[in-house]
Amino acid sequence: MATVIADISISLDGYVTGPEPDAEPDAGQGAGQGLGRDADVLHAWAFSDDPVDRAELDRAAAAGAVVMGRTLFDVVDGPDGWSGGLGYGASRDARPPFLVVTSTRPASVRLAGSHDFTFVLDGPAAAVERARAVAADGPVVVMGGAAVIRGCLDAGVVDRLRLHLAPVVLGGGTPLFGAGRVRLARAEVRVSSTATHLTYDVARRDVPTMRR
């Protein structure tokens, strides 16, 4: 069975977008300034020449299948999204099957001729299960946004959590984590000039209980 890796860039104070994104709160990346104000630094590592960062992109490009949320899909399929050699894995432009978690299918898909998108209407865990079925020899990567990664953690379907920690305190934006504790075991730390790449094994998810 394919390993499931949740993979996302994050600030030192735990945000995956900056303040004032053009998306609804907790939705993750949105259209326009969807990453929020001053958040480009979160993904600076993906465009760096540092050999550690380059190796991280190579690892990302080896995904057997990728799960993403609808808001993130709307970004990558939008007019300023993926195309012309810039796609999943940045300049690696990897094109594994993409499973999109959504409540409604889009009316049209700009990248339909070059990318394989499947729209999953019954939640993040179902998207991961379908991704495992088509991942071949590579891992399933859950690339975001935050709500989709949290949904997969809550469902207990994530094996590894990979965080690309940017040296910035954003002071607001979309937080990656919510209620409940995620028990982790450190698997790997790789440091570049632009980010600290952290990989954890996910031990278990603790769901908070009501106190009387």
Side-chain angles (χ1 to χ4, degrees), residues 135-158:
D137 295 330
V140 171
V141 176
V142 184
M143 68 176 292
V148 172
I149 288 180
R150 285 199 301 270
C152 290
L153 287 169
D154 287 342
V157 297
V158 176

Side-chain angles (χ1 to χ4, degrees), residues 103-146:
S103 58
T104 57
R105 292 181 175 85
S108 62
V109 178
R110 178 179 64 86
L111 296 171
S114 57
H115 293 68
D116 177 11
F117 291 105
T118 299
F119 299 93
V120 181
L121 306 184
D122 43 356
V128 167
E129 190 64 25
R130 295 185 66 173
R132 277 180 165 147
V134 298
D137 295 330
V140 171
V141 176
V142 184
M143 68 176 292

Side-chain angles (χ1 to χ4, degrees), residues 32-201:
Q33 195 182 24
L35 285 177
R37 176 169 45 82
D38 301 328
D40 289 347
V41 68
L42 288 176
H43 299 279
W45 70 270
F47 303 96
S48 159
D49 291 328
D50 189 294
V52 174
D53 296 326
R54 298 290 91 191
E56 285 295 313
L57 287 181
D58 290 339
R59 183 154 61 175
V66 172
V67 174
M68 69 174 73
R70 174 59 185 272
T71 306
L72 184 53
F73 164 79
D74 287 342
V75 173
V76 303
D77 195 54
D80 298 322
W82 292 350
S83 63
L86 183 64
Y88 179 66
S91 60
R92 300 300 187 268
D93 192 20
R95 301 189 184 188
F98 296 95
L99 290 298
V100 181
V101 180
T102 183
S103 58
T104 57
R105 292 181 175 85
S108 62
V109 178
R110 178 179 64 86
L111 296 171
S114 57
H115 293 68
D116 177 11
F117 291 105
T118 299
F119 299 93
V120 181
L121 306 184
D122 43 356
V128 167
E129 190 64 25
R130 295 185 66 173
R132 277 180 165 147
V134 298
D137 295 330
V140 171
V141 176
V142 184
M143 68 176 292
V148 172
I149 288 180
R150 285 199 301 270
C152 290
L153 287 169
D154 287 342
V157 297
V158 176
D159 300 308
R160 288 195 149 192
L161 176 64
R162 185 169 295 146
L163 302 177
H164 308 286
L165 184 65
V168 62
V169 175
L170 292 175
T174 304
L176 177 57
F177 300 111
R181 291 181 296 179
V182 184
R183 296 190 180 183
L184 306 171
R186 189 182 67 193
E188 185 180 49
V189 179
R190 306 174 78 183
V191 181
S192 76
S193 58
T194 62
T196 302
H197 305 284
L198 304 166
T199 302
Y200 297 94
D201 292 325

